Amino acid sequence: MTASRTLGRGLAVALAVIVTSASAYFAAGASPDRATEKPSKRGDTSSGEILIAAHRGSSAMAPPNTLPAFSLGIVQDADLIEFDLHLTADDEIVLVHDTVLDTTTNVREVYPDRAPWRIRDFTLEEIKQLDAGASFNPRFAGEQVPTLREAIELIKHRAGVQLDVKSPHLYPGISERIMEELEAVPGYLPAALQRGSIQVLAFDREWLFDDFGQVAPDGITLVPMWGAGSVPSRDALEAAREYTDWMITAFDNVANHPRLRDDLHDLGFSFGLYTLNDAERMYDAYDYGAAAIATDYPTTLRELIDHGLLGMEFEPPVDDREDIVFESGHYRVVITTSPDTRIEQLGFDPAGQGQYREVLNHTTRGTVPFVGIGQFSPVLPVGEPEEIVLSDDGRDLALRGIPMLGEPIAVDWTFRFEDEWFDHEMTWTVDGATSEPVYQVGWGIDAGLTRLGDNDVLDRERGHARPFSDWSVNWDDNLTVVAAYENGSAWAEDNVFFSTAHNFVAWTPLWESGGRDWAVGEYDGGRWRIGASGTGGDEAYANQLHADLNN
């Protein structure tokens, strides 16, 4: 066992990136209607450096997959507007991220008796009764779920489009319906085909090539996708290359696998990476040779491009960030405390030989405590702890007074490191009224393992567990990482959220759509035991870890 503090390297240079707020754009007259009149500066949708894909529109500043988000993406000079497609009960195409409506609309209130609120079970007329904006921010109350045709009529040739077709196996005939809707907008399709400004995206590559590919005319680019932790083999890429020279994958797949980068370049692929919201990863994506970046903040990437920063070389100073490292042979954990606080690395070797397999991917929020104010995402930035206390033997660590920047909230995060597992727990302090209602409080594990589950459902689809599970797992065929919960250790047990798209599990003692007031006081945030088994989907190990913690 070893425990140490090591000096890490920060960003090469601190950049001041000017991000103009959505309110400023609208105040200047760039309303959704005005945005449709903005002429394109780039007819071929190319920025000349790297393509900017506004992920579900400018989704950090307006409700994702709505017309205001698309309008902002246009105003903010994105090359591509990305959105997600589903088919209604009456075969209309609507733009929502999930296969269900309750994550982004008030469908539970409007249609309380129609759980699980699958899009395919509702007509377009029914869906148009829902509010798709208020849960993001009350100023967007009344915003409707848009259709594909409405989005194309708004965007037209002011940007290219990425049509991300979610779960096409649920929607027979969606290929033909996509083409019908694109053809229904007068004058749109012929010019878009000539420009090459339509991309159709899908994780279901068989559907993309064998179904949609049969009806797609020349000029539409087919873009297969591979999610986090799903790294395509050379054979898979060669098979896809028969149909297209584009692909999209998660950032960490390319960052952590030089072989994949080599294959993509060897085979002549243009590739996009998702979803990058900080300049550091945008620099990396450029260096890896990415042709496009999906981001919730188009303005950040636009500033880097327009000021020539992506290709610039900097003299990297050493910063004073201090990392805390513990390793035992069974696991190695690196905790960074500056400029923010998080578990930066976590690797396991259940055999105890020190051959650690890294499990974190950082594609969502990171493995970190978080608070969502006024909306679920993005969450508040996390600052540096006021005090760091590490015991002489290196087994006990206390990070006290970690601020949730911009709000009167802080958390104490403590750790106990044993040889085969470690415990961590949180105590939250609220010192005053928050600026807006609190949507969620908790912590998440952001892992690169491809399956998620808990003691109720080992291999879950995206969704929620209420109240808390006994344990959650991130796992694949060769490793199971367990987060076992100490029963009753959190002041509340509202929700565990499983994001299969990002391999992210969030434990949230406070979770409420629309938010609620969080009174001044101190709150026990819960205690968890983290360990790993070398067996895939190891429920017996998870149950034992939970039992040991609760004895």
Side-chain angles (χ1 to χ4, degrees):
M1 178 277 295
T2 62
S4 63
R5 293 185 178 184
T6 60
L7 289 179
R9 299 183 70 86
L11 278 174
V13 66
L15 297 173
V17 178
I18 302 170
V19 179
T20 307
S21 70
S23 59
Y25 276 118
F26 285 133
S31 66
D33 290 339
R34 291 286 298 276
T36 63
E37 300 169 6
K38 177 180 176 291
S40 172
K41 296 190 298 184
R42 297 178 300 280
D44 61 358
T45 74
S46 171
S47 68
E49 289 272 353
I50 195 167
L51 294 175
I52 302 172
H55 180 238
R56 308 175 205 166
S58 185
S59 56
M61 296 186 177
N65 281 314
T66 63
L67 297 184
F70 304 156
S71 295
L72 272 177
I74 295 168
V75 171
Q76 293 169 354
D77 221 7
D79 300 299
L80 299 159
I81 309 297
E82 185 266 356
F83 43 79
D84 306 295
L85 277 59
H86 296 272
L87 208 58
T88 67
D90 52 345
D91 290 335
E92 298 291 343
I93 299 176
V94 292
L95 310 185
V96 182
H97 181 263
D98 302 323
T99 58
V100 294
L101 292 159
D102 64 323
T103 52
T104 55
T105 76
N106 62 339
V107 67
R108 289 173 177 263
E109 302 170 13
V110 179
Y111 302 107
D113 300 324
R114 294 180 63 178
W117 301 286
R118 290 184 294 257
I119 294 171
R120 64 181 178 177
D121 295 333
F122 288 79
T123 65
L124 177 61
E125 182 178 0
E126 291 172 328
I127 291 174
K128 284 294 186 180
Q129 307 307 309
L130 304 177
D131 189 322
S135 63
F136 182 89
N137 188 278
R139 75 191 64 214
F140 294 100
E143 194 61 45
Q144 294 182 329
V145 173
T147 65
L148 173 58
R149 189 181 305 188
E150 288 169 341
I152 296 299
E153 288 174 341
L154 172 68
I155 299 166
K156 293 184 180 176
H157 304 301
R158 297 162 181 85
V161 292
Q162 290 183 322
L163 282 55
D164 188 350
V165 184
K166 300 293 189 185
S167 306
H169 65 281
L170 297 177
Y171 309 120
I174 193 170
S175 297
E176 291 77 9
R177 288 292 297 120
I178 290 171
M179 292 310 307
E180 289 170 0
E181 291 301 293
L182 295 178
E183 292 167 352
V185 179
Y188 173 73
L189 188 58
L193 295 177
Q194 185 176 7
R195 294 166 178 246
S197 59
I198 302 173
Q199 293 186 346
V200 175
L201 287 49
F203 288 102
D204 188 337
R205 296 176 288 280
E206 182 178 356
W207 170 84
L208 181 66
F209 297 139
D210 297 342
D211 192 317
F212 183 76
Q214 300 304 307
V215 301
D218 291 341
I220 291 182
T221 304
L222 307 182
V223 184
M225 301 179 71
W226 280 266
S230 177
V231 180
S233 66
R234 175 128 186 160
D235 287 345
L237 291 172
E238 288 176 345
R241 192 64 178 83
E242 296 294 321
Y243 300 91
T244 184
D245 59 359
W246 265 89
M247 65 87 74
I248 289 175
T249 191
F251 172 85
D252 278 16
N253 288 353
V254 168
N256 296 332
H257 297 275
R259 188 274 306 165
L260 176 57
R261 300 200 295 269
D262 291 342
D263 286 347
L264 291 171
H265 293 305
D266 289 347
L267 295 171
F269 271 101
S270 296
F271 63 92
L273 298 178
Y274 70 88
T275 303
L276 310 186
N277 291 329
D278 61 86
E280 183 175 6
R281 293 186 179 223
M282 292 172 183
Y283 283 123
D284 289 339
Y286 178 88
D287 292 342
Y288 296 145
I293 291 175
T295 178
D296 301 331
Y297 295 89
T299 47
T300 299
L301 183 51
R302 173 55 58 205
E303 288 289 327
L304 295 180
I305 292 170
D306 288 352
H307 291 285
L309 297 176
L310 287 179
M312 189 178 294
E313 294 293 330
F314 297 94
E315 186 68 29
V318 176
D319 86 316
D320 59 355
R321 187 181 77 180
E322 193 166 14
D323 291 342
I324 299 165
V325 182
F326 180 92
E327 58 182 307
S328 66
H330 288 273
Y331 67 91
R332 180 177 187 269
V333 58
V334 177
I335 300 168
T336 186
T337 58
S338 177
D340 58 2
T341 304
R342 66 178 60 234
I343 297 178
E344 184 68 22
Q345 298 176 34
L346 180 59
F348 287 99
D349 177 7
Q353 302 302 307
Q355 302 298 310
Y356 307 116
R357 177 183 171 189
E358 178 62 33
V359 299
L360 301 186
N361 68 19
H362 307 295
T363 58
T364 307
R365 294 173 181 161
T367 301
V368 62
F370 58 76
V371 175
I373 299 288
Q375 57 192 2
F376 281 118
S377 186
V379 295
L380 296 175
V382 179
E384 303 179 14
E386 292 183 355
E387 183 181 19
I388 302 172
V389 180
L390 183 65
S391 64
D392 290 341
D393 64 2
R395 289 190 176 270
D396 292 286
L397 171 66
L399 307 176
R400 296 173 180 159
I402 303 169
M404 303 292 113
L405 298 178
E407 296 290 342
I409 301 170
V411 63
D412 293 345
W413 196 9
T414 60
F415 297 81
R416 171 64 186 177
F417 303 111
E418 297 292 347
D419 286 348
E420 297 185 16
W421 46 261
F422 68 90
D423 290 348
H424 75 112
E425 60 185 308
M426 283 149 280
T427 302
W428 294 91
T429 302
V430 183
D431 287 330
T434 57
S435 60
E436 294 186 78
V438 180
Y439 276 58
Q440 59 177 335
V441 177
W443 74 282
I445 181 166
D446 204 353
L449 305 179
T450 55
R451 297 177 180 176
L452 309 175
D454 63 358
N455 49 287
D456 287 330
V457 182
L458 181 62
D459 194 0
R460 276 187 174 271
E461 296 183 355
R462 186 184 192 277
H464 304 264
R466 302 187 182 100
F468 277 6
S469 310
D470 290 343
W471 45 261
S472 68
V473 286
N474 299 71
W475 62 284
D476 61 15
D477 291 341
N478 301 307
L479 189 67
T480 300
V481 176
V482 180
Y485 173 62
E486 181 181 289
N487 297 338
S489 59
W491 90 94
E493 300 179 354
D494 282 359
N495 183 61
V496 185
F497 174 62
F498 299 86
S499 173
T500 51
H502 301 99
N503 306 324
F504 178 73
V505 179
W507 292 79
T508 49
L510 189 160
W511 187 98
E512 184 165 327
S513 180
R516 63 174 179 259
D517 293 336
W518 197 13
V520 170
E522 186 174 283
Y523 298 83
D524 292 331
R527 182 186 183 196
W528 286 263
R529 180 160 294 173
I530 311 297
S533 162
T535 300
D538 195 342
E539 295 179 90
Y541 174 77
N543 284 325
Q544 186 61 53
L545 203 66
H546 178 262
D548 292 344
L549 177 61
N550 284 277
N551 283 340

